[in-house]
Amino acid sequence: MATAAPRIDQFFVLHATRNDRWQAVADQAREWCAGGQRPDGLVEAVDELAVLEQFHAIPGSPTVERLRGLIESGDSDEAARLARHVAEVLMLGRGSDLADEWEAEEDAVLADIVPSVVAPGEGRRPYFEVLYVTGQEEPRWKALRSQVRRLRRREDQFVYEPVFVGSVEDAICATVINPRLAAVVMGENVTLHSRHDAPVIRELLEHASYAKAAGGTGLELARALKRIRPELDLYMLSGRNVEAIAGDPQADVLRRVFHSIEEPVELHLSILEGVAARYETPFFDNLKKYAQRPIATFHALPIARGKSVFQSDWIRDMGEFYGMNLFLAESSATTGGLDSLLEPTGNIKKAQDMAARAFGADHVFFVTNGTSTSNKMVVQALVRPGDVVIVDRNCHKSHHYGLVLSGGQPSYVEAFPLTQYSMYGAVPLEAIKKTLLDFRDDGRLDRVRMLDLTNCTFDGHMYNTRRVMEECLAIKPDLIFLWDEAWSGFAHWSPFLRPRTAMGAAADLKDWLANPESLDAYERQQAELGAEPSRETLMATRLVPDPRKVRLRVYQTNSTHKSMSAIRQGSMVLVRDVDFPHVESQFHEAIFTHASTSPNQQLIGSLDVARRQMELEGYGLVMNAITIALKIRLAVNGHPLVSKYFRVLGADEMIPEQFRNSGFVDYLSQGVNWGKVLQAVHEDEFFLDPTRMTLVCGTAGFDGTSFKGLLANRFNIQVNKTSRNSVLIQSNINNTRSDVALLLRVLVQVCRELEEGGGTSTDGFKRKVHSLMTEVPDLPNFSRFHDAYRKDGGASTTEGDMRTAFFAAYREENCEYVPLRSAEIDKRLESGPELISANFVIPYPPGFPIMVPGQVLTKDAITFMRKLDVKEIHGYEAARGLKLLKPDRL
């Protein structure tokens, strides 16, 4: 192998540049064909591709060898044609297109190298690839490949191609690099090390104890691959005692065990069946069938079947816009093959069970009115009146309203501030532990029911979820966790981000608690801490829970529509709760309370389909979204003109140094590879989701709101969240490289216009930038609840009866309005009586309550409100002033 070949463990770099590398080779070959002189770097470029293509079936290693042979023989015309065709095929992207187009390449020259992947005369079928990890020598792989292809049948629902590797390291690399893999077949006598340079892979193997995967039964390798990509179907081939392997408790990661290769047809059918099990969408499949049936409707849904629409002169355009199937698939019936979302027993129930399997949950519930409702459902189901919930004050308003509805008492904890950008990060573990210990020391820890946090935050801060749960459970073993992952449901499909998700961390924690090592670790720590460790010691120690006492109760809400291919308002509640049988009835009551009795059929169908897509191609889609984000970061921060006025913030500017133990600075930093990223994911208290990019626009003289409007109105670019001096750019599974090019072109145009207007040299520009970037208001922390709403509060705790305060404001005589900028406000801040908020006040941005019912307002909060220059403030009427509870009415 040429020394210029890249390291195979540069995971995302290799995959992200695969198409670019082929295009570069095609360009060089075209130059050679046109000019008669072979470019100096062409052979080296093909050698680099050879390392990458060994992990893919199409075009794969045979095509690279074919291309190398053409180059060595001097056949520039055929080399240019082949390289161009490969580049064009890869640009198609879709697997079925790729397979169809590759079949067209099969002429007499290539027939023995690239056999057909689609039977003649057949239509397009979904295409995937299967990894074979074999101990057989590489010269045998061509014959093995032919044997696999001969198993294809015309009636097969899918088409797949085999990829062969001969070592544990190569198997891990292929699993990470090749997003088209849907299954892995593992043999025996597989060596550990790759023949290529793979130092980061070796660090990973040592860190995760994967080295045991070499030899033996291969179950260690199977478990390693399952941790990387849990959606893959794994099959084991063994010439030894297959009964013993199948009976091993660790074999639960395998779909099936085969004795050697004695049943190749059964293996082939098992692979197809495994993919079909993920391809099935019970509700959506049935909805399509329902839409094809002739049905007369005598229920209250006139648009069902579409006759009132298509037979109208006045609204027929709506039907033409949306299409007939939207109306044919509408019904308010829950019989005749349909199902009830409120009490599912048929295809909705099956679809939810399949979603639970996909996301690693015990139960999943579909929600059709957004994660705002999902959050309120969970809070109402689990929190009783008077229970204390430790909650991030900056979380979505649905959590606060959920506590009002349930009667839970919030004990607010503060996230670290990013004052310069008018936003908060996430809540330090220190603050959470301190609050729990405050309740313990007050003898009231039994009152604490739940910890409620946002993960990841709007701006991309992800918790070290497992560590938070471990240390909290060490203090209160039955604590319930609600993780609002509205923005990061996609993260389950990334091996780098999954450990930071609620379900990913819960699965790891469950495995660890079941391991005898967990009890050993707990008892060792107890011996070190002594019988009565001080509060300071507990705060400074990474606490280990007692596995005998832990009740693992984890809930995750997931805005499927925010990061997957679901219709707007599609959400899921994911449950991994050992005590769920004890709360299931009240959970259903919460569903009955909040869910519509007329849910949208198409929305439910989209949740079903979103799960299917993520199980079968989510890994590649998320990998692409991360790649897009890295491209945006590089395009903005690396452009000589754009970077004068705009920049995407790195982790060092979004996460204070004390929360980054690994020393990770940014994805673009010199020398960063995915080994360093893995270290940050594993060690750091907070980690920055790469797909969420804070683009600073204040340095270009724009506040976030005006720049958002400029992008939308002039350039048809939409963004969502803004701050005083930034906008949030998100990459998702919908984005392409063309989107990156458009964004960069627009930023270049804006920068040129600034330059033509004098740029940074004008006094007006300097004043504007100074105002946006320097004269920023301090962010107010939560002050306290008024004593009237803390009648059963502890001496050192902060919880309050927000529900009583909220409903006190329903009586007009209890309330008063005081103008925000009046002298009365200043006088009362100085000498009383206290200012007590009657409602939630939520400015956008920053988008969280800076005042809640029953809160005593301080000078910090008033100053912040007075400095706000945003147009949208929920709960505040400028004409009337602040709505306050009268002190004499408390």
Side-chain angles (χ1 to χ4, degrees):
M1 183 58 60
T3 57
R7 285 191 358 209
I8 60 173
D9 51 32
Q10 301 298 306
F11 301 134
F12 285 105
V13 177
L14 274 178
H15 173 75
T17 60
R18 185 186 181 207
N19 291 5
D20 292 345
R21 289 172 186 269
W22 271 107
Q23 188 60 57
V25 167
D27 291 343
Q28 289 180 292
R30 185 179 65 250
E31 292 174 12
W32 178 29
C33 184
Q37 176 105 18
R38 191 177 80 187
D40 293 337
L42 181 57
V43 173
E44 289 77 10
V46 172
D47 287 342
E48 291 181 356
L49 280 173
V51 178
L52 181 56
E53 289 302 327
Q54 68 177 312
F55 302 122
H56 297 82
I58 295 179
S61 296
T63 303
V64 177
E65 294 308 311
R66 164 76 176 160
L67 180 59
R68 181 183 281 118
L70 292 171
I71 293 171
E72 291 174 352
S73 66
D75 191 343
S76 61
D77 290 341
E78 182 59 20
R81 187 203 65 79
L82 178 58
R84 183 181 68 253
H85 183 74
V86 172
E88 291 173 350
V89 166
L90 291 179
M91 286 299 293
L92 288 170
R94 279 176 36 181
S96 54
D97 288 332
L98 185 148
D100 288 352
E101 287 296 317
W102 202 245
E103 180 193 11
E105 171 64 15
E106 295 163 19
D107 53 23
V109 177
L110 297 179
D112 63 329
I113 299 175
V114 191
S116 175
V117 297
V118 178
E122 295 239 347
R124 178 177 297 162
R125 293 181 287 178
Y127 168 80
F128 62 92
E129 297 181 0
V130 176
L131 179 66
Y132 286 78
V133 187
T134 178
Q136 298 199 40
E137 297 295 325
E138 187 171 353
R140 283 274 303 146
W141 294 359
K142 182 176 180 181
L144 293 174
R145 187 177 294 112
S146 298
Q147 291 175 18
V148 171
R149 287 168 173 158
R150 283 196 293 270
L151 297 171
R152 292 188 184 127
R153 304 174 307 151
R154 190 176 294 272
E155 57 268 33
D156 289 344
Q157 186 179 6
F158 313 107
V159 176
Y160 68 88
E161 276 282 291
V163 178
F164 289 89
V165 296
S167 71
V168 169
E169 289 182 344
D170 285 340
I172 292 174
C173 284
T175 302
V176 173
I177 289 173
N178 187 345
R180 296 196 189 281
L181 292 180
V184 181
V185 179
M186 292 166 291
E188 294 182 295
N189 303 317
V190 179
T191 61
L192 173 61
H193 293 304
S194 170
R195 56 184 174 167
H196 305 293
D197 186 23
V200 173
I201 281 289
R202 293 189 180 119
E203 292 171 15
L204 175 66
L205 290 169
E206 293 170 4
H207 174 73
S209 301
Y210 293 169
K212 295 183 297 182
T217 64
L219 284 176
E220 291 83 4
L221 173 60
R223 296 186 73 83
L225 298 184
K226 205 69 172 177
R227 283 196 290 273
I228 297 170
R229 293 180 60 181
E231 78 277 9
L232 295 179
D233 291 327
L234 305 183
Y235 302 89
M236 178 74 69
L237 302 180
S238 176
R240 300 181 300 110
N241 187 348
V242 293
E243 296 82 5
I245 297 174
D248 191 309
Q250 294 192 78
D252 58 353
V253 299
L254 301 175
R255 186 172 178 89
R256 188 168 172 185
V257 181
F258 289 92
H259 186 261
S260 191
I261 194 67
E262 65 180 8
E263 296 184 275
V265 174
E266 292 300 324
L267 175 59
H268 171 73
L269 295 176
S270 294
I271 290 171
L272 295 177
E273 181 186 55
V275 173
R278 285 175 275 162
Y279 188 78
E280 181 187 6
T281 45
F283 183 79
F284 181 64
D285 292 344
N286 200 68
L287 195 62
K288 289 188 293 183
K289 294 176 183 177
Y290 174 83
Q292 301 305 311
R293 293 165 54 192
I295 292 174
T297 59
F298 295 93
H299 53 61
L301 196 63
I303 67 165
R305 316 308 292 177
K307 287 176 281 190
S308 70
V309 175
F310 288 98
Q311 294 179 10
S312 168
D313 289 335
W314 302 101
I315 65 169
R316 187 185 300 118
D317 59 331
M318 181 177 75
E320 292 167 350
F321 179 77
Y322 285 111
M324 175 65 82
N325 280 338
L326 176 70
F327 304 96
L328 291 176
E330 268 296 1
S331 175
S332 64
T334 58
T335 56
L338 299 177
D339 199 3
S340 167
L341 182 64
L342 294 181
E343 291 191 293
T345 57
N347 46 63
I348 292 180
K349 176 66 167 62
K350 186 175 181 182
Q352 292 182 155
D353 290 344
M354 293 175 73
R357 175 197 67 198
F359 283 95
D362 294 332
H363 310 278
V364 162
F365 298 90
F366 290 170
V367 180
T368 60
N369 36 355
T371 298
S372 297
T373 296
S374 295
N375 292 331
K376 286 180 279 191
M377 283 179 177
V378 176
V379 171
Q380 178 178 320
L382 301 175
V383 177
R384 302 157 300 199
D387 282 345
V388 172
V389 176
I390 300 173
V391 58
D392 179 4
R393 193 271 307 234
N394 312 298
C395 65
H396 188 267
K397 64 181 182 180
S398 58
H399 298 271
H400 304 274
Y401 282 108
L403 291 170
V404 167
L405 295 173
S406 67
Q409 297 193 9
S411 178
Y412 287 121
V413 284
E414 295 288 349
F416 62 81
L418 296 167
T419 305
Q420 184 179 0
Y421 306 109
S422 297
M423 65 178 72
Y424 281 91
V427 180
L429 178 56
E430 179 183 22
I432 299 169
K433 289 172 65 176
K434 176 184 179 302
T435 302
L436 284 169
L437 292 174
D438 285 344
F439 278 95
R440 186 203 66 168
D441 294 346
D442 266 2
R444 303 168 64 252
L445 189 59
D446 62 300
R447 288 278 306 280
V448 180
R449 178 75 166 169
M450 176 188 287
L451 174 64
D452 186 349
L453 297 173
T454 303
N455 183 47
C456 70
T457 68
F458 215 145
D459 302 292
H461 300 95
M462 303 185 79
Y463 286 85
N464 192 328
T465 317
R466 174 174 170 177
R467 180 177 177 183
V468 170
M469 293 196 290
E470 280 183 348
E471 294 215 47
C472 289
L473 290 169
I475 301 171
K476 182 172 174 56
D478 62 345
L479 187 66
I480 303 173
F481 299 91
L482 170 55
W483 297 95
D484 180 348
E485 299 190 5
W487 297 100
S488 57
F490 74 94
H492 177 81
W493 309 102
S494 165
F496 301 103
L497 301 180
R498 187 184 309 113
R500 295 258 167 175
T501 68
M503 291 299 109
D508 292 342
L509 188 52
K510 178 184 177 182
D511 288 345
W512 182 79
L513 291 170
N515 191 315
E517 293 179 4
S518 63
L519 183 58
D520 293 340
Y522 170 75
E523 291 178 339
R524 282 197 305 272
Q525 183 173 91
Q526 291 302 301
E528 294 169 0
L529 292 175
E532 295 185 3
S534 69
R535 181 186 176 94
E536 292 71 22
T537 299
L538 293 176
M539 288 294 297
T541 302
R542 179 164 181 169
L543 301 178
V544 177
D546 185 344
R548 297 164 299 186
K549 295 181 180 179
V550 166
R551 309 297 298 171
L552 190 58
R553 311 188 65 187
V554 185
Y555 290 76
Q556 173 188 328
T557 53
N558 169 339
S559 282
T560 317
H561 70 101
K562 283 188 169 75
S563 64
M564 290 167 267
S565 300
I567 294 174
R568 189 174 177 88
Q569 294 290 291
S571 176
M572 297 183 189
V573 176
L574 283 60
V575 180
R576 188 183 272 265
D577 180 356
V578 295
D579 290 331
F580 188 72
H582 302 298
V583 297
E584 186 172 7
S585 62
Q586 60 213 50
F587 195 90
H588 287 294
E589 286 292 339
I591 292 175
F592 297 154
T593 301
H594 294 281
S596 170
T597 54
S598 301
N600 183 278
Q601 305 277 50
Q602 283 65 50
L603 207 159
I604 301 171
S606 76
L607 289 171
D608 201 8
V609 171
R611 185 274 314 156
R612 176 216 277 177
Q613 179 181 41
M614 298 310 286
E615 272 203 294
L616 290 169
E617 59 177 342
Y619 176 80
L621 292 172
V622 174
M623 184 187 289
N624 182 68
I626 294 174
T627 298
I628 293 292
L630 299 181
K631 293 286 185 183
I632 292 173
R633 281 179 162 82
L634 186 61
V636 173
N637 292 1
H639 194 281
L641 175 59
V642 173
S643 60
K644 285 176 60 177
Y645 296 96
F646 299 94
R647 75 181 188 278
V648 176
L649 297 181
D652 56 334
E653 295 182 277
M654 295 292 288
I655 302 173
E657 186 176 5
Q658 66 264 34
F659 302 125
R660 292 180 285 111
N661 298 334
S662 69
F664 179 71
V665 174
D666 189 40
Y667 297 98
L668 302 183
S669 298
Q670 188 70 28
V672 169
N673 60 33
W674 289 101
K676 190 69 174 177
V677 174
L678 278 173
Q679 183 186 0
V681 169
H682 180 71
E683 295 179 6
D684 291 354
E685 183 166 345
F686 300 110
F687 182 76
L688 192 63
D689 173 8
T691 69
R692 308 183 75 77
M693 295 152 282
T694 297
L695 178 73
V696 177
C697 57
T699 44
F702 296 102
D703 65 83
T705 302
S706 64
F707 190 63
K708 172 184 175 180
L710 175 71
L711 291 177
N713 298 328
R714 280 191 58 190
F715 301 108
N716 294 322
I717 291 178
Q718 297 180 347
V719 298
N720 192 348
K721 192 255 187 188
T722 66
S723 80
R724 178 181 177 85
N725 49 29
S726 72
V727 296
L728 181 73
I729 306 291
Q730 296 174 244
S731 65
N732 57 53
I733 65 173
N734 185 61
N735 287 123
T736 64
R737 294 278 293 280
S738 298
D739 295 330
V740 181
L742 174 61
L743 177 64
L744 183 62
R745 184 185 67 80
V746 166
L747 293 178
V748 168
Q749 182 175 340
V750 171
C751 291
R752 283 176 178 166
E753 292 174 0
L754 290 172
E755 295 271 290
E756 292 167 0
T760 60
S761 62
T762 66
D763 291 339
F765 181 87
K766 292 177 180 178
R767 283 195 300 270
K768 182 69 171 175
V769 171
H770 181 77
S771 171
L772 291 170
M773 300 301 300
T774 305
E775 295 178 350
V776 292
D778 289 333
L779 295 170
N781 285 337
F782 178 79
S783 52
R784 61 182 176 87
F785 286 105
H786 190 275
D787 290 344
Y789 304 110
R790 298 205 71 249
K791 293 177 180 177
D792 59 350
S796 59
T797 59
T798 61
E799 77 280 12
D801 182 5
M802 187 167 61
R803 175 186 172 92
T804 298
F806 179 89
F807 285 109
Y810 274 42
R811 297 179 66 91
E812 190 173 347
E813 61 270 24
N814 290 344
C815 301
E816 60 180 331
Y817 289 86
V818 181
L820 178 63
R821 303 183 186 279
S822 68
E824 182 182 351
I825 291 280
D826 298 311
K827 179 181 177 182
R828 289 176 63 171
L829 285 173
E830 183 71 25
S831 56
E834 291 177 320
L835 304 170
I836 306 160
S837 180
N839 60 347
F840 292 103
V841 177
I842 309 173
Y844 285 85
F848 56 81
I850 62 170
M851 302 176 185
V852 305
Q855 177 184 348
V856 176
L857 304 184
T858 61
K859 185 177 181 179
D860 289 344
I862 298 299
T863 301
F864 182 79
M865 278 287 289
R866 286 173 171 174
K867 288 185 177 181
L868 278 176
D869 54 4
V870 301
K871 297 178 181 179
E872 187 177 354
I873 304 178
H874 295 182
Y876 172 68
E877 300 177 58
R880 304 180 72 182
L882 294 174
K883 187 177 182 180
L884 305 173
L885 291 169
K886 294 179 180 178
D888 60 353
R889 299 286 301 189
L890 299 183

